[in-house]
Amino acid sequence: MATRPLRPSSGARRRDVARSQSSRPLPTALPSPIANWFAAKGWTPRPHQLALLSQARARRSTLLIAPTGAGKTLAGFLPSLVAATEPQRGEGKGAGLKTLYISPLKALAVDVARNLTGPIAEMELGLKVETRTGDTPQSRRTRQRTRPPEILLTTPEQVALLISGEDAAYLFADLETVILDELHALVPSKRGDLLALGLARLRALAPGLVLTGLSATVARPTELRAWLEPQTTAELSIRLADVIALSGGAKPDVTILETEAPLPWASHTARYAVPDVLAAIARHRLAIVFVNTRLQAELMFHELWKANEATLPIALHHGSLDVAQRRKVEAAMAAGKLRAVVATSTLDLGIDWGDVDLVIHIGAPKGASRLIQRIGRANHRLDEPSKALLVPANRFEVLECRAALEAAEAGAQDAVINRRGGLDVLAQHILGVACAGPFDTGTLHTEVATALPYADLTRTDFDRVVDLAATGGYALRAYDRFARLKPTDDGRLRIAHPRVAQQYRLNVGTIVESPMVKVRLVGRRGASGRPGPKPLVGGRLVGEIDEGFAGELKPGDAFVLGGETLRLEGFRDNEIFVSRATAKDPIVPSYPGGRFPLSTHLAKRVREMLAEPTRWQSLPTPVAEWLRLQEQHSALPGPNEVLIETFFHGGQHHMVAYPFEGRLAHQTLGMLLTRRLERAGAKPLGFLANDYAMAIWGLGDLSAMIAEGALDLGRLLDEDMLGDDLDAWLAETSLMRRTFRHCAMIAGLIERRHPGKEKNGRQLTVSASLVYDVLRRHDPGHVLLEAAYTDAATGLLDIARLGEFLRRIKGRVRHIALQRASPLAVPILLELGREIVGGDARESALREAAEEMLRAAGLADGAPQP
């Protein structure tokens, strides 16, 4: 698809000027019930809230940008509350749904509903407010299709389900307003693509629909404004919604933990900081302890609880816990019964926990925008600074935390928002439209192109995706299982069988996670009169664990989930049964995915920090000394070059590079470099990558090969590795197959859920691999292969970022041959050599390995040795 320049049309530019000059008059008075409510609270409506009300009365879609605590949510709902006080204009044509609120998180929708129902009751407006998420009982969801509330709070996946119903036109006929909360978090993903397509459908079902976007500060507001406005191929420029931007707010108070405990070289657990974290919790009313993965959440909660001699009430919150447990934690937070909650991104956004006065971030945040978002959970008020404590898990993370802190102080944002819509997502949407009724392809293409991610979608590409949805494409059309759409007598397309709609609704959505296994506390049936153990009976649902992790467990093994230590008792179908246990060192479940790569913005800041020794004075003394030792024994990379060290260590030759481009790009680089080194005769044996560096080890003397000219690093790192080498690797790598599997599941070509059953991970992998091999052999231009390659460029393989790196360092490769490992190489070499042991033993093993490595390098005790 070609890309139009993201610039406003002349009309949008004129609206910008109007808004900046505040020429649109603000309403002077609110209706009495609402005005009296404000007065009773001792509050006064803020100017941006009244301005958004004025925009709604003029029926103009608007983006409201405001910092945390500015009352964005109330501003978004105020027009709907005011409308409830005004006389209705005639009879409605539909079910009566007036306002649709869409949130990226189920917890946020539930919280907003809780905070909205109170004021509505106090104002005596008589409005009914309900939530609709995957956790809503099926009976209520069924009733909501024909008898919805006036205000419905939901998620993007539920919107897709609602518009796929045969009653969608009736359900949405009266819809007037859509409120999109935390818009900056919704847009830059496939969930955003699906939602953009859903909104295009809603505009067709409810002409005159007004969109209100609510967002924290973003780097490029134009991208969000364009997303809110329907686009048209008749214009060369992008259409923009109006914007109301509120600046100000107290600057956040962010510090990095400095402790007397030794700072780890390569740990990812931050166990060393547990006493300091507990002390910080004790000094505050309520803290959210953010981590980046569910594994880290379970581990940190377990460590905090072991050391919690004061028995502070601490809870755990992440997506694999049972919904009842999560709601219990949220209610306890709202009631002020907790002192801390260990959480993943499930509590990232917008939820107004008024008593939270500290955010503790365990590990590096990986992105400036993510850190600013999380910091905003503390002191959720406009005029009070949010307070945060960053706890790096190792020395490299200290550098990243410092870079993130400086970015937060500067208000820098690094979230990438503008994206091209996924063709696999479009295939899913086309199926959903067909489930609602027959459609004309020309009309649907025009509708789809009004969504910003698909504004440049050609009719040719659209027809290719329609063919994918209808028949599976050229190579698969002979198989009945892929025949999902068929033509009507008037030339439209409809679903081929009712089971197509059933399968669509079971598998809707773009979040593809590893198959999970439910975990239940065990009970035993009563006496059966027969000898032997009694059959297992499932009790309370604790949560879910990854299917692969569950498959490695044996009866009697102990693991932690939801803060409880559990013992595996047995398996049945897609569930495992457990009992409570008291094991001293239980296993922490692992969950695939969920790890954030280092953002491009923070990576650049880290490289600049390394190149400017004057900035090291803000770093903890052990880290500053580490960098000085690196200068003495090797070198530090400049901001636009890459440092490569070669040395002999542990009986093998090593090459360590420091691109600082993130784990995903480094993994792809390692794969491609090992192929090239193999051809050069360097005999590589393997590689390891983290967010900061990449190490390759093998049998060939790399230092000698470079010195003798047998290995040219410039040619080794040439951009042409993204040509034939990449193509050859993609043909055989499991990562590309995994990317294809994800696309095939989103497009509906491979289905995980079926009535009464669900495919396991192995079945999904086999099914996807069969289709992948058929397409590569017989239809290499298939639209789904194209979609998978596009995903690989920015997803699991991060090929686009790797290409930018190779262009940036062209002619700027700095090589240093060393006699032994450098200080900067120590952390990744420790990762390379560590054994998988648990608990404190692992930390001790890492410390001992670091000391041994430093002695071997002549750097023991932090100083050069004679």
Side-chain angles (χ1 to χ4, degrees):
M1 293 187 294
T3 304
R4 281 183 285 172
L6 194 60
R7 61 175 185 269
S9 64
S10 58
R13 287 196 291 269
R14 287 195 296 272
R15 292 198 295 273
D16 266 352
V17 174
R19 295 304 311 136
S20 64
Q21 293 176 346
S22 299
S23 62
R24 199 180 306 282
L26 299 180
T28 56
L30 291 169
S32 296
I34 299 175
N36 293 341
W37 180 82
F38 271 99
K41 298 289 184 182
W43 298 342
T44 302
R46 288 173 171 164
H48 63 275
Q49 295 171 331
L50 296 177
L52 196 56
L53 176 59
S54 178
Q55 288 288 99
R57 284 176 166 167
R59 307 305 293 163
R60 302 186 73 89
S61 293
T62 306
L63 172 65
L64 172 60
I65 299 176
T68 296
K72 291 192 295 291
T73 305
L74 178 58
F77 281 104
L78 190 57
S80 300
L81 303 185
V82 169
T85 68
E86 299 172 345
Q88 297 300 307
R89 297 182 296 275
E91 289 293 324
K93 297 179 293 183
L97 174 62
K98 297 297 182 67
T99 300
L100 188 65
Y101 166 94
I102 302 173
S103 156
L105 293 179
K106 292 184 287 188
L108 179 55
V110 171
D111 179 67
V112 170
R114 181 170 53 235
N115 291 333
L116 189 61
T117 51
I120 286 176
E122 292 164 358
M123 295 175 191
E124 299 181 346
L125 297 179
L127 290 174
K128 191 172 183 180
V129 178
E130 291 181 353
T131 60
R132 181 188 175 95
T133 71
D135 299 330
T136 304
Q138 182 60 48
S139 59
R140 187 185 305 169
R141 280 186 278 167
T142 300
R143 189 261 304 158
Q144 286 172 342
R145 300 197 68 92
T146 54
R147 289 180 289 117
E150 288 90 351
I151 300 176
L152 182 64
L153 296 87
T154 189
T155 60
E157 291 74 22
Q158 291 298 318
V159 172
L161 280 171
L162 289 171
I163 64 176
S164 74
E166 295 178 357
D167 52 4
Y170 173 73
L171 174 62
F172 293 112
D174 298 330
L175 187 64
E176 297 174 351
T177 303
V178 174
I179 302 169
L180 299 146
D181 205 354
E182 305 290 353
L183 184 59
H184 59 284
L186 279 169
V187 171
S189 67
K190 289 192 176 186
R191 288 185 87 199
D193 296 345
L194 186 64
L195 180 57
L197 292 167
L199 293 173
R201 179 103 285 243
L202 288 179
R203 288 191 187 99
L205 297 174
L209 186 66
V210 170
L211 270 58
T212 297
L214 309 177
S215 177
T217 304
V218 291
R220 295 174 293 278
T222 300
E223 296 173 342
L224 293 183
R225 295 173 60 195
W227 201 89
L228 290 171
E229 194 75 5
Q231 304 304 315
T232 172
T233 55
E235 295 185 13
L236 296 177
S237 299
I238 296 291
R239 300 178 64 191
L240 302 180
D242 292 354
V243 61
I244 298 171
L246 177 66
S247 58
K251 285 193 173 183
D253 175 11
V254 187
T255 57
I256 299 175
L257 177 68
E258 293 199 38
T259 177
E260 297 298 321
L263 188 61
W265 289 85
S267 172
H268 295 280
T269 64
R271 274 193 179 96
Y272 78 97
V274 166
D276 298 278
V277 171
L278 276 173
I281 291 171
R283 293 192 299 268
H284 293 81
R285 293 190 305 273
L286 174 59
I288 298 181
V289 183
F290 276 117
V291 295
N292 288 331
T293 68
R294 287 169 285 184
L295 184 151
Q296 290 173 321
E298 291 282 357
L299 182 60
M300 180 50 60
F301 179 82
H302 185 68
E303 293 297 322
L304 288 172
W305 199 248
K306 283 198 306 183
N308 187 14
E309 295 180 357
T311 63
L312 298 172
I314 300 173
L316 177 64
H317 194 286
H318 64 71
S320 289
L321 299 181
D322 179 54
V323 61
Q325 176 64 18
R326 298 199 304 270
R327 297 295 174 262
K328 183 178 178 181
V329 171
E330 293 159 16
M333 287 182 73
K337 296 179 180 179
L338 298 175
R339 297 294 297 278
V341 178
V342 180
T344 59
S345 55
T346 51
L347 292 183
D348 259 10
L349 302 169
I351 300 175
D352 186 8
W353 310 117
D355 285 335
V356 174
D357 56 348
L358 178 67
V359 163
I360 302 174
H361 200 291
I362 303 296
K366 303 303 172 188
S369 295
R370 182 177 299 108
L371 176 62
I372 293 171
Q373 180 74 53
R374 288 180 166 181
I375 288 173
R377 300 309 99 218
N379 288 335
H380 204 260
R381 301 170 184 88
L382 183 62
D383 55 351
E384 295 185 19
S386 298
K387 188 175 181 182
L389 176 66
L390 306 185
V391 182
N394 57 59
R395 298 187 179 216
F396 269 124
E397 285 198 353
V398 171
L399 303 177
E400 186 183 336
C401 284
R402 186 70 218 175
L405 186 153
E406 293 174 358
E409 291 175 344
Q413 302 281 336
D414 56 6
V416 177
I417 292 176
N418 193 27
R419 57 173 277 122
R420 220 175 255 179
L423 298 181
D424 51 344
V425 180
L426 178 57
Q428 182 181 128
H429 176 71
I430 290 170
L431 277 176
V433 171
C435 291
F439 68 90
D440 175 75
T441 55
T443 302
L444 185 57
H445 173 249
T446 301
E447 178 184 303
V448 163
T450 65
L452 180 67
Y454 299 91
D456 297 307
L457 182 71
T458 65
R459 181 59 194 266
T460 299
D461 282 340
F462 176 78
D463 288 341
R464 293 171 65 209
V465 180
V466 169
D467 189 40
L468 164 64
T471 69
Y474 165 75
L476 302 175
R477 69 176 70 250
Y479 299 91
D480 290 341
R481 57 170 292 198
F482 299 116
R484 295 175 293 176
L485 304 180
K486 66 179 184 180
T488 62
D489 292 340
D490 59 1
R492 295 182 296 168
L493 287 175
R494 66 174 180 86
I495 57 173
H497 193 277
R499 67 171 173 269
V500 174
Q502 182 183 40
Q503 286 300 109
Y504 170 84
R505 291 171 185 138
L506 285 172
N507 293 279
V508 70
T510 63
I511 301 174
V512 180
E513 291 189 338
S514 175
M516 307 293 280
V517 174
K518 287 181 170 54
V519 179
R520 289 190 182 276
L521 280 173
V522 73
R524 295 283 182 181
R525 293 192 190 276
S528 62
R530 293 194 299 267
K534 300 180 180 65
L536 296 171
V537 180
R540 178 173 68 85
L541 182 64
V542 181
E544 298 176 318
I545 58 174
D546 175 64
E547 179 185 82
F549 174 79
E552 296 174 358
L553 295 174
K554 306 182 299 295
D557 283 351
F559 64 96
V560 293
L561 179 63
E564 297 183 87
T565 301
L566 308 170
R567 179 188 294 109
L568 177 64
E569 299 291 348
F571 297 83
R572 188 180 67 194
D573 300 328
N574 199 37
E575 296 184 334
I576 66 171
F577 298 91
V578 298
S579 59
R580 290 190 176 92
T582 56
K584 182 180 179 182
D585 199 13
I587 307 168
V588 179
S590 60
Y591 299 88
R595 293 176 62 186
F596 303 116
L598 176 66
S599 75
T600 302
H601 179 80
L602 285 192
K604 183 173 182 291
R605 283 181 174 267
V606 170
R607 292 196 304 269
E608 291 171 347
M609 187 187 308
L610 290 175
E612 298 178 31
T614 56
R615 297 172 61 181
W616 300 351
Q617 60 188 6
S618 63
L619 299 173
T621 300
V623 177
E625 286 296 324
W626 173 49
L627 299 182
R628 291 190 187 98
L629 285 172
Q630 175 67 17
E631 272 195 317
Q632 295 171 18
H633 291 263
S634 178
L636 286 164
N640 291 310
E641 68 178 9
V642 63
L643 172 66
I644 294 181
E645 298 173 333
T646 53
F647 51 83
F648 187 77
H649 171 78
Q652 294 170 341
H653 295 275
H654 287 72
M655 171 189 288
V656 179
Y658 305 93
F660 292 92
E661 289 292 347
R663 173 177 47 86
L664 299 178
H666 292 175
Q667 286 177 340
T668 301
L669 178 62
M671 292 282 191
L672 297 176
L673 281 181
T674 51
R675 294 178 68 92
R676 291 194 155 193
L677 288 171
E678 180 68 34
R679 287 203 304 269
K683 301 177 183 177
L685 298 175
F687 78 94
L688 179 71
N690 60 22
D691 271 322
Y692 317 102
M694 179 208 63
I696 297 175
W697 62 95
L699 302 178
D701 188 339
L702 297 170
S703 296
M705 292 179 68
I706 294 170
E708 295 166 1
L711 191 61
D712 185 328
L713 290 179
R715 294 189 63 183
L716 188 70
L717 291 167
D718 193 88
E719 286 180 75
D720 63 6
M721 74 162 58
L722 299 181
D724 293 342
D725 279 321
L726 178 62
D727 291 340
W729 175 56
L730 289 179
E732 60 190 45
T733 176
S734 62
L735 290 176
M736 191 62 193
R737 289 176 179 269
R738 190 193 315 171
T739 302
F740 175 82
R741 184 176 76 238
H742 289 180
C743 290
M745 292 174 67
I746 291 171
L749 212 59
I750 304 296
E751 295 163 331
R752 172 186 293 175
R753 299 178 188 89
H754 298 261
K757 59 183 179 180
E758 184 172 321
K759 285 185 177 181
N760 60 34
R762 178 174 175 78
Q763 290 169 328
L764 289 170
T765 299
V766 170
S767 297
S769 292
L770 288 172
V771 174
Y772 179 74
D773 290 337
V774 167
L775 295 183
R776 280 189 58 87
R777 187 177 304 114
H778 301 292
D779 193 3
H782 194 278
V783 66
L784 209 54
L785 291 177
E786 179 183 321
Y789 187 88
T790 300
D791 278 6
T794 55
L796 286 172
L797 309 181
D798 216 350
I799 296 167
R801 186 166 174 183
L802 177 57
E804 292 171 5
F805 161 72
L806 295 174
R807 287 188 290 274
R808 176 172 59 81
I809 57 100
K810 191 175 183 68
R812 298 186 181 93
V813 179
R814 186 176 186 184
H815 169 244
I816 297 182
L818 300 171
Q819 295 299 311
R820 48 180 69 126
S822 72
L824 210 60
V826 169
I828 195 165
L829 291 180
L830 286 171
E831 291 192 41
L832 179 68
R834 68 187 180 194
E835 296 293 330
I836 304 301
V837 295
D840 296 334
R842 179 174 184 171
E843 301 298 316
S844 298
L846 284 173
R847 281 197 298 272
E848 292 172 5
E851 291 168 4
E852 180 181 348
M853 196 173 296
L854 289 170
R855 282 193 296 271
L859 301 170
D861 300 321
Q865 300 297 306

